[in-house]
Amino acid sequence: MKNILFSPSLLSADFARLGEAVSFINQQGGDLIHIDVMDGTFVPPITIGQQVVSALRPHSDLPFDVHLMTEHPETLVDGFAESGADYITFHHEACIHSHRLISHIHDLGKKAGISIVPSTPVSAISELLPFVDLVLVMTVNPGFGGQKLIPQCVDKIALLDQIRKEKGYNYLISVDGGINQNTVQSVITAGVDVVVSGSAFFAGTFTKDML
């Protein structure tokens, strides 16, 4: 069976106790830590910045997947690379020169990820798939935890898996949004590699053993 990577999201943690949340992810067998960076423009809330990522870095040896839900991500990647990000994932919808940004992230020695919101088709990023290390499929409209998975978005995972096999690409397929004990099997069946879970994980109803 394929090894599915588990990436708990700090978005649903107690923000007053983020260091403890990172330690909890370590204890629960997380494979990556998903860190949602929101700027109040691309999505309504404002969450975590570079200084917080830097402060959390000593608390875990796990890879940090910093998910930039921001406008103008090209202005932020250097700071997050310096702060300890391992993967830097930005939104296709927020960047005009996505290929240039992917190349820059690689030049910084980091893995480059690209994300699409529910209304964006896989075809919109088809020219970028040979270059990215990770594709993050949002199965809810980004910005808030605790939403229900949009079932039609799961088809994107299956399409990305099909393209990867046909073309010989090497990107990981990640999924974020509404993942819990009732929905996880559908994304695994579709071909996902990385499962992000926030609300269900921190509520204690979803664990790595369910993958």
Side-chain angles (χ1 to χ4, degrees), residues 8-176:
S9 171
L10 288 181
L11 181 62
S12 298
D14 181 347
F15 272 37
R17 304 168 65 186
L18 285 177
E20 295 176 35
V22 168
S23 297
F24 180 66
I25 292 171
N26 293 336
Q27 295 164 8
Q28 295 298 310
D31 298 297
L32 303 92
I33 297 178
H34 191 86
I35 302 175
D36 288 309
V37 175
M38 304 181 183
D39 64 355
T41 303
F42 185 73
V43 290
I46 298 174
T47 55
I48 291 173
Q50 293 98 327
Q51 288 181 308
V52 175
V53 173
S54 181
L56 292 175
R57 185 67 276 182
H59 290 265
S60 179
D61 293 327
L62 294 176
F64 281 5
D65 179 13
V66 172
H67 176 195
L68 300 178
M69 291 191 240
T70 70
E71 297 287 347
H72 307 296
E74 66 277 2
T75 66
L76 301 174
V77 297
D78 290 66
F80 280 105
E82 293 172 6
S83 298
D86 298 283
Y87 286 80
I88 300 177
T89 299
F90 66 94
H91 271 267
H92 168 69
E93 301 87 1
C95 185
I96 296 173
H97 302 293
S98 293
H99 180 269
R100 179 185 297 166
L101 185 53
I102 290 165
S103 298
H104 182 59
I105 293 170
H106 286 155
D107 288 343
L108 293 170
K110 307 299 180 179
K111 301 287 189 180
I114 194 160
S115 183
I116 52 175
V117 301
S119 60
T120 299
V122 169
S123 60
I125 59 169
S126 61
E127 299 301 319
L128 301 170
L129 294 179
F131 308 104
V132 292
D133 303 291
L134 180 146
V135 180
L136 175 59
V137 177
M138 295 299 300
T139 45
V140 299
N141 289 295
F144 301 96
Q147 300 183 67
K148 292 183 178 180
L149 178 145
I150 301 170
Q152 290 81 357
C153 294
V154 177
D155 293 340
K156 297 182 189 180
I157 298 171
L159 178 55
L160 284 163
D161 187 41
Q162 177 185 342
I163 293 170
R164 177 172 58 182
K165 290 173 180 174
E166 290 177 352
K167 301 287 188 178
Y169 297 155
N170 295 312
Y171 52 78
L172 296 173
I173 304 170
S174 181
V175 62
D176 183 7

